[in-house]
Amino acid sequence: MGTYDVAVFGAYGHTGRFVVEELRERGFGVLAVGRDEAKLRALPWPDLEIRQASVDDPAALDRAFEGADAVINAAGPFADTAAPVIEAALRAGIPYLDVAAELEANMDTFARFGDKAAGATVIPAMAFFGGLGDLMVTAAMGDWTSADEAHIAYGLSSWHPTEGTRAAGKVSRERRNGKRIRFSGGRIEHRDDALPESDWAFPAPLGTRAVLGEFSMADVVTVPSHLAIPEVVTYMTTNAAREVVTPETPAPPAGGPSAQMFVVDVVVRSGDEERRIVAQGQDIYAITAPLVVEAVQRALDGRTKATGVVSAGEVFDAADFLAALAPRVTVTG
């Protein structure tokens, strides 16, 4: 390590700071890129190379990514930033990764750049939502070439949303015209009925919790992009689902991982057979950093299995990748 320079667009955001810190700890050079130069200069690493650029200025993006070996986009809403930053990465001939949890932005990336990025490396949703779940489903599949159902249950002890999470949620709600999304029958559906409620028996320390079913996250885009599973359902603990949409819920604390704990419980079914895998850790925003940085390291080292617009489970060895996240993520099953 230490031989690569990685540009981080949105370096001063909540998740962006975790990404910068992770890159530095692993010996990468970091190019801190963003729209607000004052916020870039206020970052707590005085030796960072600062490059100001906005998504509405392609020439500035080209200058900002000059000399970079890869680009990580940590600036939402990704409905606004993903396409311009991908275009700039393609012009520079370097891998692009983002941490987008926005379903619509991820769908746009696959649809818009599926052909345009042939031979390149574009990895959307390389984050807690979208990336981790996709790796887990892929690992659970093992030697199966198809399955009937994949269920991904998110057990969060709490969910204090960042400003970026709130902004992304607003964009998604506007694009859906108030409807919700689910993946069923091998396709995306827009529905206006209520989310189904049930209980999910999480392993310790959470135990059985009330969950909202079809609380669709980026996994309903990433998993079906490469796995033959016609039913992909994601669940969210009810307490977290309420907190993330409540205006009074405070933002997560700055300066380090929060006390939030998570359990991700994945069940894949084929006929009468069932396979299960569980991941546990702390702080969904902080854990995105080792996910995306491990991914960029593997992409730059050539430890990939596919090119184009690809999800985590398609481009990486899923089981090996999950093992590399220890001890910050404990995976069993």
Side-chain angles (χ1 to χ4, degrees):
M1 297 185 189
T3 59
Y4 300 117
D5 292 323
V6 177
V8 180
F9 186 72
Y12 49 74
H14 186 82
T15 302
R17 287 171 177 250
F18 284 124
V19 172
V20 171
E21 185 173 18
E22 182 77 16
L23 286 165
R24 289 170 60 86
E25 287 180 356
R26 294 199 187 199
F28 286 90
V30 179
L31 308 177
V33 185
R35 293 161 285 197
D36 190 320
E37 185 174 354
K39 290 182 178 179
L40 288 171
R41 297 197 178 280
L43 287 168
W45 303 284
D47 59 330
L48 278 184
E49 184 168 350
I50 303 302
R51 298 184 178 183
Q52 190 277 332
S54 62
V55 293
D56 56 1
D57 188 342
L61 286 175
D62 290 344
R63 290 192 296 270
F65 299 158
E66 186 176 352
D69 296 295
V71 175
I72 295 174
N73 182 4
F78 294 90
D80 299 328
T81 67
V85 180
I86 292 171
E87 294 276 10
L90 293 177
R91 289 194 298 271
I94 56 179
Y96 166 94
L97 304 89
D98 69 37
V99 298
E102 298 167 42
L103 277 72
E104 290 81 7
N106 292 318
M107 287 189 285
D108 288 348
T109 295
F110 277 99
R112 180 170 178 176
F113 295 97
D115 294 329
K116 195 170 185 178
T121 299
V122 174
I123 309 175
M126 193 60 244
F128 178 79
F129 293 117
L132 180 59
D134 183 50
L135 288 164
M136 293 176 68
V137 172
T138 306
M141 288 281 286
D143 58 352
W144 288 355
T145 58
S146 64
D148 299 322
E149 306 170 355
H151 299 268
I152 307 166
Y154 288 102
L156 307 186
S157 61
S158 63
W159 192 353
H160 291 192
T162 64
E163 181 181 344
T165 295
R166 291 194 185 280
K170 181 176 184 293
V171 170
S172 290
R173 288 190 295 273
E174 291 172 350
R175 291 188 63 176
R176 297 175 195 173
N177 293 318
K179 294 188 176 183
R180 65 181 182 86
I181 283 178
R182 77 170 185 177
F183 184 85
S184 181
R187 63 186 180 87
I188 291 287
E189 297 179 348
H190 288 80
R191 300 174 62 92
D192 54 14
D193 56 340
L195 293 171
E197 300 183 39
S198 61
D199 290 332
W200 187 280
F202 289 97
L206 283 186
T208 300
R209 296 290 183 100
V211 296
L212 294 178
E214 300 177 6
F215 191 93
S216 294
M217 305 305 294
D219 314 87
V220 303
V221 178
T222 56
V223 171
S225 74
H226 68 107
L227 294 174
I229 308 176
E231 303 291 326
V232 179
V233 187
T234 55
Y235 307 77
M236 180 63 65
T237 42
T238 303
N239 65 295
R242 288 174 177 163
E243 285 181 327
V244 76
V245 297
T246 300
E248 292 76 23
T249 302
S258 71
Q260 177 201 52
M261 304 302 294
F262 66 80
V263 177
V264 185
D265 194 5
V266 168
V267 177
V268 180
R269 297 191 179 106
S270 180
D272 295 331
E273 191 172 354
E274 179 178 293
R275 293 178 176 178
R276 189 175 193 175
I277 186 171
V278 178
Q280 301 183 50
Q282 180 180 349
D283 192 334
I284 64 174
Y285 296 109
I287 210 64
T288 286
L291 277 161
V292 73
V293 174
E294 179 68 23
V296 81
Q297 180 74 63
R298 290 175 180 240
L300 290 171
D301 288 347
R303 288 180 285 163
T304 55
K305 302 187 296 181
T307 59
V309 181
V310 286
S311 61
E314 180 180 10
V315 69
F316 302 119
D317 180 321
D320 183 68
F321 194 111
L322 291 170
L325 298 176
R328 284 181 285 186
V329 180
T330 302
V331 180
T332 55

